[in-house]
Amino acid sequence: MEQQNNQPEQGTGKRGQSRSYKHVDIQRERPKLSKEEGEAPKRRRRTSKKKHQAPQVMAAKKDPKAKLKVIPLGGLDAIGKNMTAFECNGDMVLDDAGLMFPDDDHPGVDLILPDYTYVLENADKLRGIVITHGHEDHTGSLPYLLKDLDRQVPIYGTKLTLGLIEGKFAEHRIKNAKLIEIKPGQRIQMGCITCDFFAVNHSIPGAVGIFFQTPAGTVLHTGDFKLDQTPIDGVTTDFGALARFGKMGVDLMMSDSTNATVPTFTPSEATVGVTLRKIIAQAKGRVIIASFASHIHRLQQICDAAVAEGRKVVVTGRSMVQNTDIARKLGYLNVSDADIIDAYDLKGIPPEKVVVMCTGSQGEPLSALARIAAGEHKTIEIDPGDTVIISATPVPGNEKAVTRVINLLSKVGADVFDKSRAQVHVSGHAGQEELKLVLSIVKPKCFMPVHGEATHLRAHAKLAAATGVNEDNIFILENGDTLELSAKGVRRGEPVESGIVFVDGLSVGDTSQDVLNERSAMVEQGIASVACAISSKTGKITGDVAVQMRGISGGDDEYLLEDAASAVRHGLEKALSKGGKKRDLEKACRQSLQSVLWDRIKQRPLVIVNLLDI
């Protein structure tokens, strides 16, 4: 239920039961974004006669015996899988539950989740889950977490954030989740932990930061943010809230480090719209634009530019179709039904009258753009003279995949624009000057950089020191490390179990590093198999030793196969003469085959041994 007049709402758990939760109704209308460029969005009229005022943030009563544990379970070793637990006096709140996508080091893996074993082990303490915004790296592991939890836990987020989460839950067939809408300026009480939400500007609407108040101390978590003063939806980062929290006293500040290595300020999102408009206006054929499906501000600017140039907007790609539909129904994406069409309705529309919004900005093999580039898309073909815009920056590890798609498009004759050629993308994260500005406003006693790789965290730590934070009070942690806040200050605590969980098809957590190593070995060195029968009566080899090779140079050479079979037979007979057990026999076969292959072709493939007892 929406909170009225900023009255606190009780969370669920031992310290209070919530009776006021609901599901997000994505049919509900919201104020639509303005069509006119530069026009400020209209304000929704309030039914209440009371004048809205910023909530007065009252400091929580301190308990000299209380301790607050800050437990990052993800987000401190990579760009993604953000998850942090806050635990105090038997109450726990989980901040974000994200994932990250695999790279070349994870063959066959679909998704990578943070290991949330600690949350499951302490589920009786969990009073709620707060989500800062709707990006996958902050919401993606929620379906898996909820399936493993043995109880319902309220999930708090803004309207769009919950709309995207509900769409994700529908895919996983999760029903009856407690989704509770919050708004910037609102306060939620969960046990002894109070959460004050404040608006931040990011690359998706509805992003918030959170100010945690506990009997042990206060923590300010910025969430992902930038300081865009000309945002598409008119929502800027709430400097007033940051100043109020700073005046109250922030014992620990946790801040987004993604762009901590980037000097100066991050450009405004509005600059991308100007560039897109120019490119679309000059394009002769169809225009195809790949972007993150959750980048609603970018999608709005693409739609505005397309409509202004008399083109229809076509949406393709599963997540792009789903997110566009949700954002339109919730009023965050303004494009009329007459200007947006399905990819299957393209027949008869001239290419120069079309702008295609699609997935694939990271070069994903099964994405819409990759299929278009390979000529495998069901409804959209690329022709010479068409314009393709990749409106995103490759996530570290995806550069090769993106380059591969660009080369395929170029071979066909498409005119490809990416960030290196035109300002078709700006980041949604604060640069160094913005980070220093926020640090200067908040003036935290202690600082902990989050959301980044080791390079980003250390760069952000230096910025904090430059703005006056004592270096002894700057903590660079790894996932599973903990901080403890108390009346004595902030110090490191005992680490907890952490790590990563691989999602491989329907398997969650069953894929180990050993399995990935075997897959890598198969890809790099190939695979060989040995099969033979051993008589249980005589203890000798019966029949021939069969050797097969796949993906091995010279693996089809008859002489090599004969030599390999002979070497395996000799090694196996030697092991049998010593009375070796089955494990010893398999090892002898494996070593014999690998030895001869190394001598002959300098390769050590993965070897599978199948011994039959007869």
Side-chain angles (χ1 to χ4, degrees):
M1 178 179 290
E2 295 181 4
Q3 302 298 303
Q4 299 296 327
N5 300 323
N6 299 307
Q7 292 297 317
E9 172 178 320
Q10 294 297 321
T12 60
K14 297 178 181 179
R15 297 180 178 269
Q17 298 296 327
S18 171
R19 297 183 179 88
S20 53
Y21 67 86
K22 69 177 185 62
H23 295 285
V24 176
D25 180 4
I26 63 174
Q27 299 293 337
R28 178 179 174 180
E29 294 183 356
R30 287 179 60 91
K32 295 184 178 181
L33 301 176
S34 172
K35 293 183 179 180
E36 297 298 326
E37 187 173 345
E39 180 181 341
K42 296 180 181 180
R43 297 176 179 268
R44 180 167 54 181
R45 292 182 178 179
R46 297 181 178 273
T47 57
S48 175
K49 295 182 180 180
K50 294 182 180 181
K51 184 177 180 180
H52 175 72
Q53 295 180 348
Q56 185 178 2
V57 181
M58 302 296 292
K61 186 177 180 180
K62 292 293 184 69
D63 180 356
K65 297 181 180 180
K67 287 185 179 180
L68 169 65
K69 293 176 65 175
V70 180
I71 310 167
L73 299 172
L76 300 187
D77 58 347
I79 306 296
K81 55 184 177 62
N82 301 292
M83 178 183 287
T84 306
F86 295 86
E87 185 178 340
C88 183
N89 288 359
D91 298 315
M92 184 167 67
V93 173
L94 191 65
D95 184 355
D96 287 331
L99 56 72
M100 67 180 291
F101 295 99
D103 54 27
D104 293 340
D105 294 331
H106 306 98
V109 173
D110 298 315
L111 303 169
I112 301 176
L113 314 179
D115 186 348
Y116 44 76
T117 301
Y118 184 83
V119 178
L120 300 178
E121 292 175 346
N122 294 273
D124 60 314
K125 301 178 183 179
L126 188 59
R127 307 293 174 245
I129 302 172
V130 291
I131 305 297
T132 57
H133 63 280
H135 281 154
E136 290 273 3
D137 59 335
H138 293 257
T139 66
S141 64
L142 270 176
Y144 304 96
L145 174 60
L146 261 62
K147 289 177 182 178
D148 290 335
L149 281 172
D150 59 357
R151 67 197 66 215
Q152 283 188 322
V153 177
I155 300 171
Y156 299 88
T158 58
K159 173 70 74 173
L160 179 61
T161 300
L162 295 186
L164 297 175
I165 290 173
E166 195 165 51
K168 191 179 302 294
F169 284 176
E171 292 181 9
H172 288 260
R173 298 180 181 179
I174 295 177
K175 300 178 180 180
N176 300 320
K178 295 182 180 180
L179 301 179
I180 304 175
E181 181 186 353
I182 57 93
K183 296 180 181 179
Q186 186 173 337
R187 173 182 293 183
I188 299 293
Q189 185 78 34
M190 286 174 276
C192 70
I193 302 175
T194 302
C195 299
D196 289 283
F197 298 90
F198 61 97
V200 296
N201 177 263
H202 188 38
S203 55
I204 186 173
V208 294
I210 307 171
F211 183 54
F212 296 92
Q213 295 186 75
T214 74
T218 60
V219 179
L220 176 67
H221 184 255
T222 65
D224 287 357
F225 77 99
K226 63 187 287 189
L227 304 182
D228 191 343
Q229 297 308 294
T230 56
I232 302 305
D233 60 357
V235 178
T236 58
T237 297
D238 192 343
F239 289 98
L242 293 172
R244 289 196 301 274
F245 302 143
K247 188 176 181 180
M248 290 176 56
V250 175
D251 295 315
L252 176 67
M253 177 176 171
M254 302 167 60
S255 185
D256 174 21
S257 306
T258 306
N259 272 0
T261 58
V262 178
T264 70
F265 288 81
T266 301
S268 171
E269 174 66 26
T271 61
V272 177
V274 176
T275 304
L276 293 176
R277 177 76 176 269
K278 290 180 180 178
I279 296 174
I280 293 174
Q282 297 171 1
K284 303 300 182 184
R286 67 173 56 82
V287 179
I288 300 172
I289 306 178
S291 177
F292 287 113
S294 58
H295 201 330
I296 308 301
H297 292 324
R298 186 69 46 79
L299 304 186
Q300 181 66 65
Q301 295 196 95
I302 294 171
C303 292
D304 290 344
V307 172
E309 296 301 324
R311 292 176 180 252
K312 299 293 184 181
V313 178
V314 179
V315 184
T316 185
R318 183 188 57 81
S319 60
M320 184 68 75
V321 171
Q322 176 176 290
N323 288 2
T324 298
D325 181 58
I326 292 172
R328 291 185 69 210
K329 288 178 178 178
L330 292 177
Y332 288 97
L333 182 61
N334 180 27
V335 57
S336 68
D337 292 338
D339 292 321
I340 189 168
I341 60 175
D342 189 270
Y344 288 95
D345 298 329
L346 270 173
K347 188 176 181 180
I349 301 178
E352 63 273 12
K353 292 295 182 181
V354 169
V355 170
V356 179
M357 293 195 309
C358 67
T359 55
S361 63
Q362 299 302 305
E364 304 95 318
L366 300 180
S367 66
L369 183 62
R371 287 184 283 119
I372 292 172
E376 298 173 352
H377 197 278
K378 293 181 179 180
T379 59
I380 300 173
E381 295 180 357
I382 196 80
D383 295 322
D386 286 349
T387 300
V388 178
I389 303 172
I390 300 179
S391 187
T393 296
V395 174
N398 291 345
E399 294 87 355
K400 290 183 179 179
V402 174
T403 301
R404 189 180 305 116
V405 172
I406 290 176
N407 285 330
L408 287 174
L409 294 167
S410 298
K411 285 182 179 180
V412 179
D415 191 12
V416 183
F417 288 83
D418 61 7
K419 190 179 178 181
S420 65
R421 184 176 173 187
Q423 195 167 33
V424 295
H425 174 71
V426 296
S427 176
H429 301 270
Q432 289 183 355
E433 295 303 317
E434 294 158 278
L435 297 175
K436 288 191 291 185
L437 179 57
V438 172
L439 280 162
S440 298
I441 293 174
V442 176
K443 294 182 173 60
K445 297 176 184 177
C446 300
F447 179 72
M448 173 183 165
V450 294
H451 302 182
E453 299 173 344
T455 301
H456 306 111
L457 302 182
R458 280 156 178 76
H460 204 173
K462 291 182 179 179
L463 297 178
T467 58
V469 181
N470 190 317
E471 291 189 4
D472 293 335
N473 294 334
I474 298 175
F475 300 90
I476 300 177
L477 272 61
E478 295 184 359
N479 297 325
D481 291 343
T482 66
L483 288 182
E484 288 187 358
L485 278 72
S486 66
K488 297 180 181 180
V490 180
R491 67 177 184 86
R492 289 178 180 267
E494 292 295 324
V496 304
E497 182 177 351
S498 67
I500 56 178
V501 175
F502 297 116
V503 178
D504 187 352
L506 296 177
S507 169
V508 180
D510 295 332
T511 303
S512 65
Q513 188 60 47
D514 290 338
V515 173
L516 296 184
N517 292 339
E518 289 180 354
R519 290 178 180 176
S520 297
M522 287 189 286
V523 171
E524 296 171 1
Q525 300 291 345
I527 182 172
S529 63
V530 175
C532 68
I534 299 175
S535 173
S536 57
K537 294 182 179 180
T538 63
K540 295 182 179 180
I541 299 173
T542 301
D544 296 331
V545 175
V547 176
Q548 291 185 331
M549 303 184 193
R550 295 290 184 271
I552 299 174
S553 300
D556 55 351
D557 187 330
E558 293 183 5
Y559 295 104
L560 178 61
L561 290 172
E562 290 176 0
D563 290 346
S566 176
V568 170
R569 175 181 286 274
H570 177 73
L572 183 57
E573 289 175 343
K574 185 176 181 181
L576 286 169
S577 67
K578 295 181 179 180
K581 297 180 180 179
K582 185 175 183 180
R583 182 175 59 182
D584 300 322
L585 302 180
E586 291 177 347
K587 182 178 179 181
C589 292
R590 189 176 296 108
Q591 290 179 339
S592 299
L593 181 55
Q594 288 181 332
S595 178
V596 71
L597 292 179
W598 178 255
D599 289 340
R600 294 286 298 273
I601 60 177
K602 300 302 179 186
Q603 289 188 18
R604 286 195 177 96
L606 180 69
V607 176
I608 298 175
V609 179
N610 186 17
L611 300 179
L612 301 177
D613 291 328
I614 298 179

